[in-house]
Amino acid sequence: MKLLITDDQNSVHMYFDRMIPYGKLGIRQVFHAKNGEEALGIIRKEWPDILILDIRMPKMDGLKLLQALEGERWEHRVMILSAYNEFDYARQCMAYGVKDYLLKPIDNKEVEERLQKMVKELTDWKSRSVAGILSRLLQEGKRNVEEWEVLQNIQISGYGIVCAKTGDSLSFAPDSQVQKLAETASDEITLWCFETDSRESWDQFFQAQKEKNGEVTVGFGRFHEKKEEFPEAVIEGMEALNQGFYRTGTYLYQEDAMHFYKDKEEEGLSKRLSQSFQNGNVEEMKKEVEKLFFIFKRGNIHPRYVQDFCTGVLIGLNPNFMETLEKLKGSPFGNGYSFADASGMKNVFLRLLINMRCQIAPEEVQTDADVVERIRHYIDTNYEKDLSLTTLSKHFFISKYQISRLFKKQFGINYSDYILKARMEAAAQILLNSRGKLDEAARRTGFEETSYFSKVFSKYYGVSPGEYRKKQKEKKDGEDTLLQRNEGTGGD
């Protein structure tokens, strides 16, 4: 936030600088002017968010300054400081939209409270406005005139866009120089806009984030100062995410980092893949697909080209395949471009090839939602096995990000939480129905270490496995005794 203090008394400026905790309030820059003319020059250069303004000043007084600013459009707040308790002054200020009118001598506590309120109002407005523009750019890929007008009113010293796959567990390293301004998400990706005032701060934030989030893919756009570059900045963030299509990591946007071209080797593999498809050799198909995606990875081929290439192969094998695409709305091939990783897209491609080779009719092809239902059943009956997203992604030929996203959407619970629930409920039954040792319950529910099993169980149920077994046995014995008494008295 930028603050401009305009007053012809030096003591007022000194008082504010000494008594008001600018940093605590979120005010990063403070400008000073001795009259309306100086203030007008600063405003038209810096466009401060908050104006603290005296009424009576030489050259140009506060009311004339407000009058001069009447045609200017930028979101800001004005606080009047005056030694004159006159209704006429207050009335004129209100006509220019001023809501805060304070009398001298200054009460620093009251000023601080008013400033805090203004900062919050402006921050909330800015966040909502930027989030709305981000959302429409993400959903529609374009900006309209109305959005451009709103963007013109937003004061941003500098900013950058960050993009990640929706559902990834992502936490941002705290940074006093970089503040989150807005966030929006689709089913596939999440966008953040961060505000900062220098390229150096943005680069440092990127490096800190790169060290912090090694297990997920994150795309950083470049630092921008010009608001008219906002759509371009969003595209950069999304393209930076593409750079992690083959390798997990945090990427800063680089122009031409990925390539669009058709290599002869790919054409040869495509022919061999078609041949193995015609022969019905599924294992050979899998090998050819592995080779194909190895070539894509080696050449750092753009995901959009990979999708187009795979779609072309599928349609080439079956001209009526578009019917299947209509059925597969949730797949990367059936709903425009999806930000799945290379492994996920490869798995979906294989699943579609196998479905086609088995001559499954389009209406019978399982959607990703159908597959996730099968995965839930698999978890319920195989909770002792390796249930990592990577493992099940390969087993069911579906992107692990699709599993995670659709699991939450269909069942209202996170994938990992559901696995924990299934294992803990199974463990509880094993403890009640068996007199075996704890290591047996641990082993039968997928835990390699009994100590870790006990820790997880205790956290889930609030008691240790041994205590749980004892309490449940006592409860059951009590219920049995009561039942026997009732039977002995005829239920009276």
Side-chain angles (χ1 to χ4, degrees):
M1 290 284 174
K2 296 180 181 180
L3 168 66
L4 169 61
I5 302 170
T6 306
D7 198 295
D8 60 340
Q9 298 180 21
N10 285 331
S11 59
V12 172
H13 296 278
M14 293 173 63
Y15 178 87
F16 271 96
D17 286 349
R18 186 173 65 253
M19 301 300 295
I20 303 300
Y22 298 132
K24 176 185 173 183
L25 296 173
I27 296 170
R28 296 179 177 278
Q29 289 181 277
V30 181
F31 303 94
H32 296 273
K34 294 182 179 180
N35 56 63
E37 282 188 0
E38 284 187 19
L40 190 60
I42 294 172
I43 289 169
R44 288 178 172 163
K45 181 181 179 183
E46 301 291 343
W47 302 106
D49 302 279
I50 300 173
L51 310 179
I52 294 179
L53 185 61
D54 190 16
I55 289 292
R56 293 190 178 183
M57 295 179 293
K59 294 186 179 181
M60 179 186 284
D61 64 26
L63 291 174
K64 287 183 180 178
L65 175 59
L66 290 174
Q67 186 178 11
L69 294 173
E70 201 171 10
E72 302 289 357
R73 295 187 59 187
W74 94 101
E75 193 71 17
H76 65 288
R77 298 290 184 272
V78 180
M79 182 192 301
I80 295 295
L81 288 179
S82 177
Y84 303 95
N85 187 12
E86 298 180 15
F87 175 75
D88 187 54
Y89 281 122
R91 180 181 58 77
Q92 292 181 66
C93 291
M94 289 171 64
Y96 292 111
V98 179
K99 298 178 182 178
D100 289 272
Y101 191 102
L102 299 180
L103 294 175
K104 297 178 181 178
I106 300 169
D107 181 336
N108 64 293
K109 184 177 180 181
E110 186 175 11
V111 172
E112 187 176 334
E113 289 175 353
R114 298 286 183 99
L115 284 173
Q116 190 173 38
K117 179 183 175 184
M118 289 178 171
V119 169
K120 186 178 187 312
E121 286 178 357
L122 287 164
T123 300
D124 291 347
W125 177 85
K126 188 187 292 188
S127 180
R128 287 194 308 271
S129 300
V130 174
I133 296 170
L134 273 177
S135 179
R136 285 185 284 276
L137 285 171
L138 178 58
Q139 301 294 340
E140 303 170 16
K142 59 184 179 181
R143 179 190 63 205
N144 59 36
V145 175
E146 180 183 349
E147 289 165 354
W148 173 240
E149 290 177 351
V150 172
L151 195 59
Q152 286 288 73
N153 294 338
I154 300 173
Q155 301 310 306
I156 308 178
S157 56
Y159 63 92
I161 302 295
V162 178
C163 186
K165 300 182 183 80
T166 297
D168 271 344
S169 178
L170 185 64
S171 60
F172 292 101
D175 192 317
S176 60
Q177 302 301 314
V178 181
Q179 302 295 323
K180 187 175 83 169
L181 184 56
E183 175 182 346
T184 192
S186 68
D187 285 345
E188 301 293 344
I189 62 173
T190 299
L191 290 176
W192 293 267
C193 177
F194 285 89
E195 186 175 13
T196 185
D197 54 9
S198 71
R199 190 179 307 279
E200 290 72 25
S201 296
W202 185 245
D203 290 343
Q204 290 172 10
F205 181 54
F206 164 73
Q207 289 298 335
Q209 199 61 37
K210 189 173 182 179
E211 295 172 7
K212 185 177 177 64
N213 291 288
E215 299 301 317
V216 297
T217 301
V218 187
F220 269 66
R222 293 179 293 189
F223 172 79
H224 289 265
E225 292 178 323
K226 297 178 180 178
K227 288 180 288 187
E228 57 266 29
E229 295 174 352
F230 199 84
E232 178 185 338
V234 171
I235 292 172
E236 287 180 1
M238 294 165 68
E239 283 299 314
L241 183 65
N242 282 333
Q243 293 170 215
F245 185 66
Y246 299 103
R247 304 169 188 86
T248 299
T250 300
Y251 295 85
L252 185 64
Y253 172 76
Q254 294 181 7
E255 201 169 354
D256 300 325
M258 307 198 82
H259 309 292
F260 290 85
Y261 68 89
K262 194 168 185 177
D263 190 274
K264 290 183 178 179
E265 191 174 6
E266 294 169 22
E267 291 181 2
L269 275 173
S270 177
K271 291 178 181 177
R272 291 198 295 275
L273 180 59
S274 298
Q275 187 63 46
S276 62
F277 178 87
Q278 299 300 334
N279 295 337
N281 190 331
V282 174
E283 288 304 315
E284 192 63 32
M285 285 165 53
K286 290 181 180 180
K287 290 179 182 179
E288 296 300 339
V289 169
E290 288 290 344
K291 291 178 184 177
L292 180 65
F293 274 78
F294 172 77
I295 292 173
F296 287 146
K297 180 178 180 179
R298 186 183 61 193
N300 212 26
I301 305 302
H302 197 287
R304 199 165 291 113
Y305 175 85
V306 175
Q307 179 195 337
D308 291 343
F309 185 92
C310 293
T311 303
V313 169
L314 293 168
I315 294 174
L317 295 174
N318 181 0
N320 298 321
F321 186 69
M322 292 308 296
E323 295 179 50
T324 305
L325 292 186
E326 282 298 312
K327 173 70 174 173
L328 293 168
K329 290 291 186 183
S331 82
F333 300 92
N335 193 26
Y337 177 65
S338 169
F339 283 80
D341 61 353
S343 176
M345 191 171 287
K346 178 181 66 178
N347 289 338
V348 173
F349 182 47
L350 268 171
R351 187 169 105 230
L352 298 179
L353 283 171
I354 293 169
N355 283 342
M356 286 170 54
R357 188 64 190 87
C358 295
Q359 297 181 339
I360 298 174
E363 62 272 14
E364 296 175 359
V365 172
Q366 289 193 325
T367 66
D368 284 356
D370 297 327
V371 175
V372 169
E373 184 67 56
R374 288 173 55 207
I375 289 174
R376 184 173 74 158
H377 177 71
Y378 183 85
I379 293 170
D380 291 341
T381 54
N382 296 275
Y383 42 76
E384 77 283 2
K385 296 181 180 179
D386 176 12
L387 298 175
S388 69
L389 282 169
T390 300
T391 298
L392 293 195
S393 172
K394 294 178 180 178
H395 185 75
F396 287 93
F397 300 110
I398 181 174
S399 162
K400 61 183 180 180
Y401 296 102
Q402 290 289 81
I403 297 175
S404 180
R405 179 176 66 82
L406 289 173
F407 213 91
K408 175 69 173 178
K409 184 177 180 180
Q410 285 184 226
F411 309 126
I413 184 171
N414 290 328
Y415 178 78
S416 58
D417 292 338
Y418 187 83
I419 293 174
L420 176 63
K421 178 176 178 290
R423 285 174 168 166
M424 290 297 98
E425 289 178 355
Q429 289 300 314
I430 292 170
L431 289 171
L432 293 179
N433 300 325
S434 168
R435 294 184 179 181
K437 296 181 180 179
L438 291 186
D439 59 355
E440 179 189 353
R443 177 181 54 78
R444 289 174 60 185
T445 52
F447 290 87
E448 294 182 2
E449 297 180 5
T450 305
S451 59
Y452 181 63
F453 165 75
S454 296
K455 182 179 179 181
V456 173
F457 189 97
S458 299
K459 185 177 181 181
Y460 190 85
Y461 283 106
V463 294
S464 69
E467 291 172 342
Y468 180 86
R469 174 187 268 170
K470 180 180 178 182
K471 287 184 177 182
Q472 291 300 316
K473 185 178 184 302
E474 290 173 351
K475 181 181 177 182
K476 185 176 184 303
D477 290 345
E479 291 173 349
D480 290 344
T481 300
L482 182 61
L483 180 62
Q484 290 172 4
R485 287 176 181 174
N486 287 338
E487 289 176 347
T489 59
D492 294 332

